Structure formats: structure tokens, C-alpha cells
Amino acid sequence: MSDVIFREAVRADLPAVLDLLADDMLGRTRDVGEVDATYEKAFADITADPRNQLVVAESGGELLGCMQLTYIPGLGRHGTERQLIESVRIRSDHRGRGLGRKMMTWAIDQARLRGCGLVQLTTDKTRHDAHRFYLGLGFVASHEGMKLNL
């Protein structure tokens, strides 16, 4: 994993990113690997927004992971900006090799460099392995998250 680089995704990465999102027990129920107008618009919106980054992990020309980083300004915590990490995926044939830890450490370092005072994420209640992984990185399950599908 020493040759892995992290970079912002470009449009040519979109099909592989969608494959990563769908390569997961929950993702396959809500994402499809085919690029359509909705995914095109979402990608364009993310890349146009300076507070959002779609990051990919690449090794040897192959995408092995992805995540979206969003920087949220706020008045709470004395005006602290926070980093939100979402859509974290590691390609199934590369899980368990340390790439997830390396990717998350990189994201947390980016938050520190930016001056964020908090990194937060959500993870589905059924992802027990992910919960252990995030706890091992120092995250604390301090809040109950809620979502409303529209």
C-alpha cells in the first residue's frame, strides 16, 4: 500500500467511483454502476463546490477507494469548521489490508491542515465492522444520527 496516492477525482473516475459505491451490501441497494444524468450533475456540483472534495485512492492506475469530504462552517464550538466524511469505500478485493486506515488518516490530516476543530461521519447502524474500524481510529459514538428520506 506504499504506492497509494490520494487525489481529487476527475470525471474519468466517475464510473469506477460508482462501482465502488455499489460494491457493498448497502450500496448495491441504492447505487448503480452506470453513469447517468443524475450522477453527472452530482459530480459536477461536488467538483464545483470549494467546500467539497471527492477523493480517490489510486495505486498503479487503479482506483481502490473513495470518500467525499465536506467542510462545514458553523457558529457552534466558537465558529469551528468541521469536516464531514461520507461515502467511504474500499474496493472489496483490497479490504483488510490497511488502505482504509491510511485513507482515513489522510482525511483527518487534511482537516487539521485546514484548521478544522472536528471531524465527523455517519455510518449505518448495520455496519458493525465499520463501527469497530472508526472506534479504532479514535472516533466516538457521541451522537444519535437521524435521517429523513425525501
Side-chain angles (χ1 to χ4, degrees):
M1 289 293 134
S2 62
D3 64 337
V4 173
I5 62 162
F6 301 104
R7 62 171 175 78
E8 286 199 55
V10 297
R11 169 56 187 84
D13 297 324
L14 187 54
V17 169
L18 295 179
D19 286 344
L20 286 167
L21 293 177
D23 182 24
D24 162 281
M25 70 174 195
L26 291 175
R28 72 179 53 98
T29 67
R30 54 188 183 204
D31 287 300
V32 296
E34 184 176 320
V35 177
D36 63 16
T38 304
Y39 285 126
E40 291 280 6
K41 180 182 181 324
F43 182 82
D45 289 347
I46 291 166
T47 57
D49 184 344
R51 292 194 175 278
N52 273 284
Q53 292 179 290
L54 182 59
V55 175
V56 295
E58 180 182 2
S59 177
E62 293 185 81
L63 292 191
L64 305 179
C66 67
M67 65 185 158
Q68 182 174 343
L69 307 179
T70 302
Y71 297 95
I72 305 167
L75 293 174
R77 296 178 183 247
H78 201 235
T80 296
E81 184 175 61
R82 62 188 66 199
Q83 180 194 65
L84 174 66
I85 304 175
E86 288 289 330
S87 299
V88 177
R89 297 289 192 284
I90 300 296
R91 204 169 79 186
S92 59
D93 62 340
H94 279 75
R95 292 180 191 147
R97 298 183 187 181
L99 178 57
R101 177 172 293 279
K102 188 172 186 176
M103 192 164 74
M104 291 298 294
T105 300
W106 182 88
I108 294 164
D109 288 345
Q110 297 305 298
R112 284 190 179 104
L113 288 171
R114 190 174 167 116
C116 292
L118 182 72
V119 176
Q120 64 187 39
L121 55 82
T122 61
T123 181
D124 193 277
K125 287 187 176 198
T126 64
R127 294 185 187 276
H128 304 292
D129 291 340
H131 301 167
R132 283 189 295 278
F133 171 72
Y134 293 127
L135 289 168
L137 288 169
F139 284 85
V140 176
S142 62
H143 290 69
E144 184 74 20
M146 297 186 180
K147 296 187 179 194
L148 175 65
N149 287 327
L150 303 177

